[in-house]
Amino acid sequence: MALYKSPSPLSEQARTAIAATLNERLSDGLDLHSQIKVAHWNIKGPQFAALHPLFETFAVSLANHNDSIAERAVTLGGRAYGTSRHVGKNSRLPEYPQETSRDLEHVKLLAERIEVYLAGLRESRTAVEGLKDTDTVDLFTGIITEFEKHAWFLRASLEG
């Protein structure tokens, strides 16, 4: 991938690698966003009133993070890849069973997928730390911190 001119002082080799890992996380994040929306739209059960708006909160937050990830890739001189076909081919998340309707089943499925998303973010953060890009490390750390809290909330909802 040829890079565009960037204000970053990082080497072209580092920027190429960072843009690639940002795009990997973008695919996972866009896929997770669509899966959260499926849960939001289809949830039924006693926890509906609490979970329906919570899932929307997760989706809105993730949409903002996806935008930040895409813009970071472009800022580094790369491109952002995010069509549904690209995401479908490149996301690490398992497919969402769209026939699911029960509230706690959605909670379990989303918790599992957020954990896959977090694993990818942590891998990317480690790679970027090795390339001395503290700005992208900070971006990943903020997302990890927030989505660890979301995963904890979902897992705590399954206890009892």
Side-chain angles (χ1 to χ4, degrees), residues 114-135:
I114 287 172
E115 288 163 1
V116 171
Y117 177 63
L118 285 166
L121 286 167
R122 289 185 197 105
E123 288 172 20
S124 289
R125 181 176 60 182
T126 298
V128 171
E129 283 172 336
L131 295 167
K132 309 287 190 238
D133 180 2
T134 56
D135 300 321

Side-chain angles (χ1 to χ4, degrees), residues 12-70:
E12 187 168 327
Q13 181 181 3
R15 291 186 294 119
T16 298
I18 296 163
T21 201
L22 284 160
N23 273 290
E24 290 169 355
R25 300 298 66 85
L26 182 59
S27 286
D28 291 351
L30 291 168
D31 190 14
L32 180 59
H33 181 269
S34 70
Q35 293 190 27
I36 292 169
K37 291 301 287 187
V38 166
H40 169 77
W41 295 324
N42 293 297
I43 190 168
K44 304 276 188 275
Q47 302 298 317
F48 172 85
L51 294 173
H52 181 75
L54 181 69
F55 293 171
E56 180 65 12
T57 299
F58 290 177
V60 168
S61 172
L62 185 54
N64 288 325
H65 289 310
N66 288 338
D67 195 54
S68 294
I69 286 171

